[in-house]
Amino acid sequence: MNKRFDFDKEKITGFDYLIGTDEAGRGPGAGPVFAAAVCFPSIDKSLKAQLEKLNDSKQISEKVREELFEVIINNSIYAIYQGSVEDIEKLNILKTSLLSMNRACSDVIDKIKSKNVIVLVDGNKKIFNFDYSQEAIIKGDFKSASIAAASILAKVSRDRFMLELDKEFPQYKWAENKGYMTKAHLEAVDKYGLTKWHRRKFFQKHFEKSEQLSLL
């Protein structure tokens, strides 16, 4: 954890603020993609102690993510945005993810009222149409405290969203699979069809395979 904060400390040299951004939900076949941006205006020993378990959101338990979520939102300047299913279908998932990151980072920059910022973007792609300094960090949610924090805000927010959708569409078991294309999810799609929350293009290969099997 200390190495992650040290990483950010090195990257912020020459800038007033550092912002980490990440997304959650690029892979599922249903639901929006979520992006978050996080800026820690000050970091002390107490905050580091509270964030001792900070890591890539996929590497820690749901309980720990929920605990860290509260710590992060209470000690940072942050923003969380959704990339809609409509945008995913129209633009593709990568562009929608980066657009959501753009919006989240721009929101945080407006809140801190400084343009002398450096944005660390998880992955190997930079945010397009973005007027501020940025750097793409491969495996950034493992290297950077701010990116790891953003990954948790995005992951927890998306999971909560899918839990609410599950109440309306329990047959797809989104409370369990969070929209990922598990066997149970695919079987439900075959039985009940697609909803407005499904990313239809993600299911093209599944339906093509089903048609091929039916012809055999």
Side-chain angles (χ1 to χ4, degrees), residues 166 168-174 177 184-185 187-189 192-193 195:
D166 180 74
E168 186 177 356
F169 302 96
Q171 63 270 38
Y172 299 99
K173 302 187 184 300
W174 288 337
N177 59 54
H185 189 180
E187 288 175 350
V189 165
Y192 301 105
T195 70

Side-chain angles (χ1 to χ4, degrees), residues 97-129:
S97 298
L98 293 172
L99 176 60
S100 301
M101 288 183 185
N102 189 328
R103 290 169 173 165
C105 290
S106 297
D107 191 348
V108 171
I109 291 169
D110 288 343
K111 291 175 181 176
I112 62 180
K113 302 184 186 306
S114 173
K115 295 183 178 180
N116 186 30
V117 301
I118 176 70
V119 174
L120 303 185
V121 185
D122 183 57
N124 61 358
K125 303 291 184 182
K126 291 184 177 181
I127 300 171
F128 54 84
N129 297 329

Side-chain angles (χ1 to χ4, degrees), residues 43-69:
I43 302 167
D44 56 23
K45 290 184 179 179
S46 174
L47 179 58
K48 286 185 177 181
Q50 292 179 75
L51 294 175
E52 182 179 6
K53 297 179 181 179
L54 184 64
N55 198 349
D56 169 10
S57 63
K58 297 182 290 296
Q59 302 300 317
I60 53 181
S61 69
E62 181 179 354
K63 180 181 178 182
V64 173
R65 286 197 299 267
E66 290 284 349
E67 293 171 355
L68 291 173
F69 183 94

